[in-house]
Amino acid sequence: MPDNTKVLLNVIANGGSTVRAMIAADEDVDPSILRILADDTDWAVRVQVAANAAVTEEILTKLVRDPDALVREEIAFKTKVGERLDVLAADPDRVVRQAVAQNEATPDAVLEVLAKDKEGRVVVFAKRNLNLRRRKR
């Protein structure tokens, strides 16, 4: 284990959530640290893990089921994996479905479902995304 990983583990164990969130946001942090922070009790730390460009697919797949909607929303905005988008498109929270509707990687079939969502903002973003694609074709 690299020396800096040992130091970070100590900081994670003894530091506050703001420090843990800063570590989670660092794109140079070892994936083993992100894996630990993905289980943090503070949602803001887990959001930073999800937003980190260096986060692994394994961690994102785990965070798709995070109890906090802001974590799931972050993944919905950035993921390019269809299976994740399928799961997030059925999320009970409107902001998560809205993020899926805005994601350029969301498959047309998922957008078609979201275009019939019970929430108006989800419908608007899904239709906008579909219309933009149709114009590009």
Side-chain angles (χ1 to χ4, degrees):
M1 181 179 300
D3 287 338
N4 66 337
T5 301
K6 289 179 183 177
V7 170
L8 287 176
L9 288 172
N10 186 40
V11 171
I12 290 167
N14 299 306
S17 61
T18 303
V19 173
R20 294 191 312 273
M22 289 173 59
I23 294 168
D26 182 354
E27 293 179 7
D28 294 324
V29 73
D30 189 88
S32 65
I33 298 295
L34 289 177
R35 205 171 299 111
I36 292 166
L37 292 172
D39 290 325
D40 199 275
T41 57
D42 192 307
W43 64 268
V45 175
R46 297 190 313 276
V47 166
Q48 291 303 319
V49 171
N52 190 315
V55 69
T56 65
E57 294 298 318
E58 168 199 357
I59 295 170
L60 286 176
T61 298
K62 175 184 178 177
L63 290 175
V64 162
R65 306 265 186 219
D66 193 271
D68 194 278
L70 293 174
V71 175
R72 299 189 311 273
E73 178 188 23
E74 181 63 38
I75 297 168
F77 271 123
K78 75 181 260 183
T79 193
K80 305 294 183 223
V81 178
E83 294 83 23
R84 262 189 229 122
L85 289 164
D86 288 345
V87 169
L88 294 167
D91 197 276
D93 197 292
R94 174 193 56 86
V95 297
V96 176
R97 296 191 314 278
Q98 184 175 315
V100 173
Q102 291 176 278
N103 187 323
E104 292 179 6
T106 301
D108 285 357
V110 173
L111 290 174
E112 294 288 351
V113 171
L114 291 173
K116 298 173 188 158
D117 195 89
K118 64 185 179 203
E119 296 287 341
R121 292 183 59 87
V122 175
V123 171
V124 167
F125 284 112
K127 288 182 176 181
R128 182 181 299 159
N129 200 345
L130 283 167
N131 288 334
L132 287 172
R133 290 178 187 188
R134 290 177 182 138
R135 283 189 221 146
K136 289 180 182 179
R137 292 179 187 155

